[in-house]
Amino acid sequence: GGFVFLTFTRLRVSHTRQHTNQRQMCKTNVQKTAESDFVPVIASVLNHLTQRNKEVSNANEKLKAFHSQRIPSINVADYLDRIVKYSYASQECFIFALVYLDRLVTKNPNCYITPYNVHRLLITSVLLAAKSRDDWYYSNAYYSTLGGVTNQELNKLEVTFLQLIDFELFISPTTFELYKNELVSRTKPTSTKKISKASKAAPTAMVEDEEPQVAPQVA
């Protein structure tokens, strides 16, 4: 079976489907919370998972779309920092993305987050989170430049990710609060560094000063 993301075993609650605007339901202002800089916590856990699964081979055929031929030179923490800096997504989006990654792993047997697929999984989950959570967001073309993949590839990754989570984008307030509280509890009480939104410079391609190769099919 799938490994429960972040080892949040106790966070596996039912995702109740309700016809309510989750932008209002999950309106919690994370930025006002003390010790709210939980993005490094997400990066740390992703790094732990990828190292743990370094030698694991994903048997799920659909997940192979996210697989790179080689491990990108940019590490997970720097890649996530890049997304935070240039996507201008709300901090709530990163909690949404975390829940989506958890759903992908738990819903699909033999599905693991590895150094070869974590970058594409991360950029796709944040894209879906922004569309689901925020009132405005950048286009797929912008996110593809931000993530270092082609627009055509990101479009395909988006559809594949949705299929892997059964198009289940709704997140209940209970689930949101559980994930948020767990992240905040793991955050060290240090002064947080605010990312300025003043710079609107378009991000450059991600990996190795060259456009990364299209994710291949892995035998």
Side-chain angles (χ1 to χ4, degrees):
F3 176 75
V4 180
F5 190 70
L6 286 181
T7 65
F8 288 172
T9 305
R10 63 185 178 279
L11 300 186
R12 294 190 65 184
V13 298
S14 59
H15 304 292
T16 308
R17 294 179 181 273
Q18 300 176 7
H19 298 290
T20 312
N21 190 331
Q22 60 184 344
R23 292 170 183 164
Q24 297 299 322
M25 296 175 66
C26 300
K27 198 67 176 178
T28 305
N29 192 338
V30 178
Q31 293 179 332
K32 290 183 179 179
T33 304
E35 308 174 359
S36 65
D37 191 11
F38 51 75
V39 171
V41 179
I42 297 176
S44 176
V45 177
L46 281 171
N47 184 65
H48 171 77
L49 279 178
T50 57
Q51 292 305 308
R52 168 179 174 153
N53 298 331
K54 186 182 298 185
E55 306 300 329
V56 173
S57 177
N58 278 292
N60 189 298
E61 288 295 325
K62 288 185 178 179
L63 198 67
K64 291 178 181 178
F66 297 89
H67 194 91
S68 299
Q69 285 184 331
R70 61 183 183 275
I71 298 174
S73 59
I74 185 171
N75 62 44
V76 175
D78 289 343
Y79 189 62
L80 184 56
D81 282 345
R82 175 185 172 82
I83 296 173
V84 171
K85 182 177 181 180
Y86 290 113
S87 69
Y88 306 115
S90 66
Q91 285 204 347
E92 289 83 357
C93 273
F94 295 95
I95 299 177
F96 272 53
L98 182 62
V99 177
Y100 295 158
L101 287 169
D102 197 2
R103 288 180 182 175
L104 183 145
V105 171
T106 56
K107 282 176 173 288
N108 297 275
N110 301 315
C111 177
Y112 303 94
I113 297 177
T114 74
Y116 291 92
N117 63 25
V118 62
H119 296 80
R120 284 175 171 85
L121 287 172
L122 187 54
I123 191 66
T124 309
S125 64
V126 174
L127 171 64
L128 289 171
K131 290 183 176 182
S132 180
R133 165 62 179 79
D134 287 354
D135 292 323
W136 68 270
Y137 47 85
Y138 283 108
S139 66
N140 282 30
Y142 182 90
Y143 268 87
S144 67
T145 301
L146 171 60
V149 296
T150 66
N151 189 22
Q152 182 180 12
E153 181 183 5
L154 185 59
N155 291 342
K156 292 179 179 178
L157 294 177
E158 181 181 16
V159 173
T160 301
F161 197 108
L162 285 168
Q163 291 172 341
L164 286 166
I165 63 171
D166 298 327
F167 292 84
E168 188 179 348
L169 294 174
F170 177 80
I171 297 174
S172 71
T174 301
T175 300
F176 178 84
E177 287 298 319
L178 285 170
Y179 276 78
K180 185 200 77 172
N181 291 339
E182 181 68 22
L183 287 169
V184 171
S185 72
R186 292 170 179 238
T187 303
K188 295 180 180 179
T190 56
S191 58
T192 58
K193 180 179 66 176
K194 292 186 177 180
I195 297 173
S196 172
K197 294 186 178 182
S199 175
K200 294 290 182 178
T204 57
M206 172 187 68
V207 182
E208 303 175 348
D209 295 326
E210 64 181 33
E211 195 166 289
Q213 297 178 0
V214 176
Q217 292 297 313
V218 180

